[in-house]
Amino acid sequence: EAKKEGGNQYYYFTNEINEIISRKMLLETGLRKALDREEFEVYYQPQVEVKTEKIVGFEALIRWNHPDLGMVSPVDFIPLAEETNLIIPMGEWILREACKEFKEWLVVNSDLRHVSVNISALQFRQPKFSELVSDILRETGLEPHYLELELTESIVQEPARAIPIMSELKSMGVKLSLDDFGTGYSSLSYLKDFPLDTLKIDKSFTKEIHLNMKDKAVVETIVHMANKLGLNVIAEGIETTEQLTSISESNCNEFQGFLCSPPLPYAQISDKFIIPKLLEPRV
Ligand code: C2E
Ligand code: MG
Ligand code: MG
Ligand code: MG
């Protein structure tokens, strides 16, 4: 009996594996063609200053509209894009697109401070990465201080390799932020050595910040430390006014989250947040 059951389990197990593998293959072949077929789209999520509630920037987040599977989450295809090196052309595409589109918004809204673009570790390690960034800035005419690159803790885990590249980008005038702060294993002692502008507090710390004194203590401490190091702090995943009140009490400078808006396509961001600016009375 036991053997038969075991056999069945094995059968289901391989079936499941097969399904995962065929989905992966489907995604991989699709991914190779997606750029040419223009199936990628940049969505943007507003970044809001806590004190003034003004929108000060946007984070660019890639979306893939797959012809058969519909919208595929970046959580599903970014790792695959990294495995296949497709993240390189994809990352270049979104960087150029975000710079171009943000430049158009700047004409209307001069309060905007930056557009943030996520950079994968593999992309960051390309020998000519900073040259690429500088080419794209020149090409699109976006002034470097408007571009903020979001790096993850996996990048800064190799300080000897990362610091020279970061310094090069900084000397061009580009801003750098550390994404998902607190979820990786980056040592606090390294933080002071990195030429960063912003820390992004991961949403796992803000999820229950209004309910959990310990989460709030962690956030307060991160903000305090960041300010001492001269860094700006942005909290991710703010969905409710209760959470906003808590991060405000923790002296967090900026937030991102569904409370203000989910990530939206260019046209919807324009309609909701940029065009209304044109209609405001001028002082
Ligand atoms: P991330 O950079 O930490 O982006 C934040 C994620 O949180 C986004 O998920 C965003 O849609 C989501 N989010 C925003 N507000 C809220 C909220 O209030 N509540 C909750 N629960 N979630 C919220 P998304 O767009 O699915 O992206 C997931 C991850 O995929 C990103 O995490 C980033 O690591 C990666 N990614 C997205 N676009 C790109 C890209 O162009 N290049 C690279 N290399 N990675 C990207
Ligand atoms: Mg990010
Ligand atoms: Mg993040
Ligand atoms: Mg994240």
Side-chain angles (χ1 to χ4, degrees):
E1 273 303 302
K3 199 177 175 189
K4 195 180 162 200
E5 237 172 62
N8 277 340
Q9 274 171 13
Y10 180 71
Y11 171 76
Y12 288 124
F13 181 67
T14 51
N15 231 2
E16 212 174 285
I17 293 268
N18 282 337
E19 221 169 89
I20 292 170
I21 290 173
S22 60
R23 182 180 156 87
K24 196 178 158 183
M25 279 164 56
L26 187 69
L27 288 178
E28 193 179 319
T29 29
L31 209 52
R32 291 187 187 282
K33 299 173 190 148
L35 258 186
D36 286 340
R37 295 186 177 171
E38 299 182 15
E39 290 166 3
F40 291 123
E41 188 172 358
V42 192
Y43 276 41
Y44 295 92
Q45 185 176 41
Q47 300 177 324
V48 187
E49 187 169 65
V50 173
K51 228 183 275 167
T52 59
E53 294 190 9
K54 263 190 187 165
I55 292 177
V56 292
F58 295 98
E59 178 177 15
L61 292 152
I62 199 162
R63 295 290 180 267
W64 179 19
N65 201 349
H66 189 285
D68 307 317
L69 301 171
M71 275 294 181
V72 187
S73 164
V75 180
D76 288 331
F77 71 84
I78 294 284
L80 193 61
E82 284 173 335
E83 248 176 70
T84 53
N85 278 336
L86 289 166
I87 193 77
I88 309 294
M90 181 193 296
E92 180 178 336
W93 176 82
I94 192 167
L95 192 57
R96 182 173 288 114
E97 206 62 16
C99 290
K100 216 189 317 179
E101 296 189 327
F102 185 74
K103 170 106 183 158
E104 289 168 26
W105 287 334
L106 266 181
V107 176
V108 177
N109 184 345
S110 53
D111 292 336
L112 295 174
R113 294 179 202 154
H114 52 255
V115 62
S116 305
V117 181
N118 293 284
I119 302 297
S120 130
L122 197 69
Q123 196 185 357
F124 180 80
R125 282 194 216 108
Q126 292 299 297
K128 294 193 171 171
F129 178 67
S130 45
E131 215 171 290
L132 173 74
V133 173
S134 129
D135 286 349
I136 288 177
L137 288 170
R138 198 170 333 106
E139 215 179 281
T140 57
L142 185 69
E143 286 176 64
H145 68 272
Y146 285 120
L147 176 63
E148 183 166 75
L149 302 178
E150 293 196 3
L151 312 176
T152 60
E153 291 187 1
S154 68
I155 290 173
V156 296
Q157 251 165 44
E158 299 179 291
R161 205 168 167 185
I163 290 174
I165 307 171
M166 291 170 83
S167 305
E168 210 177 312
L169 290 161
K170 285 296 300 174
S171 69
M172 285 164 42
V174 171
K175 289 185 186 151
L176 301 176
S177 80
L178 190 54
D179 204 354
D180 304 334
F181 181 71
T183 58
Y185 297 94
S186 78
S187 150
L188 286 185
S189 67
Y190 282 144
L191 202 54
K192 66 179 189 346
D193 299 327
F194 290 109
L196 289 164
D197 297 280
T198 303
L199 283 189
K200 292 193 83 170
I201 301 182
D202 191 71
K203 48 182 172 287
S204 57
F205 296 108
T206 55
K207 199 171 186 261
E208 297 190 337
I209 189 171
H210 54 302
L211 306 169
N212 186 331
M213 291 304 289
K214 287 184 179 171
D215 283 338
K216 196 169 175 192
V218 169
V219 170
E220 272 173 16
T221 307
I222 294 175
V223 174
H224 186 73
M225 176 192 63
N227 288 341
K228 289 256 172 190
L229 294 172
L231 303 174
N232 183 35
V233 185
I234 176 160
E236 290 188 323
I238 303 304
E239 300 179 355
T240 66
T241 51
E242 288 79 8
Q243 285 169 306
L244 179 59
T245 302
S246 291
I247 62 145
S248 172
E249 287 165 359
S250 308
N251 295 314
C252 204
N253 318 92
E254 293 172 21
F255 79 93
Q256 241 179 286
F258 299 158
L259 179 63
C260 172
S261 169
L264 295 171
Y266 176 84
Q268 282 185 52
I269 289 285
S270 297
D271 288 351
K272 277 180 98 159
F273 302 108
I274 308 290
I275 306 292
K277 270 273 168 194
L278 264 179
L279 308 173
E280 268 178 20
R282 308 222 166 182
V283 276

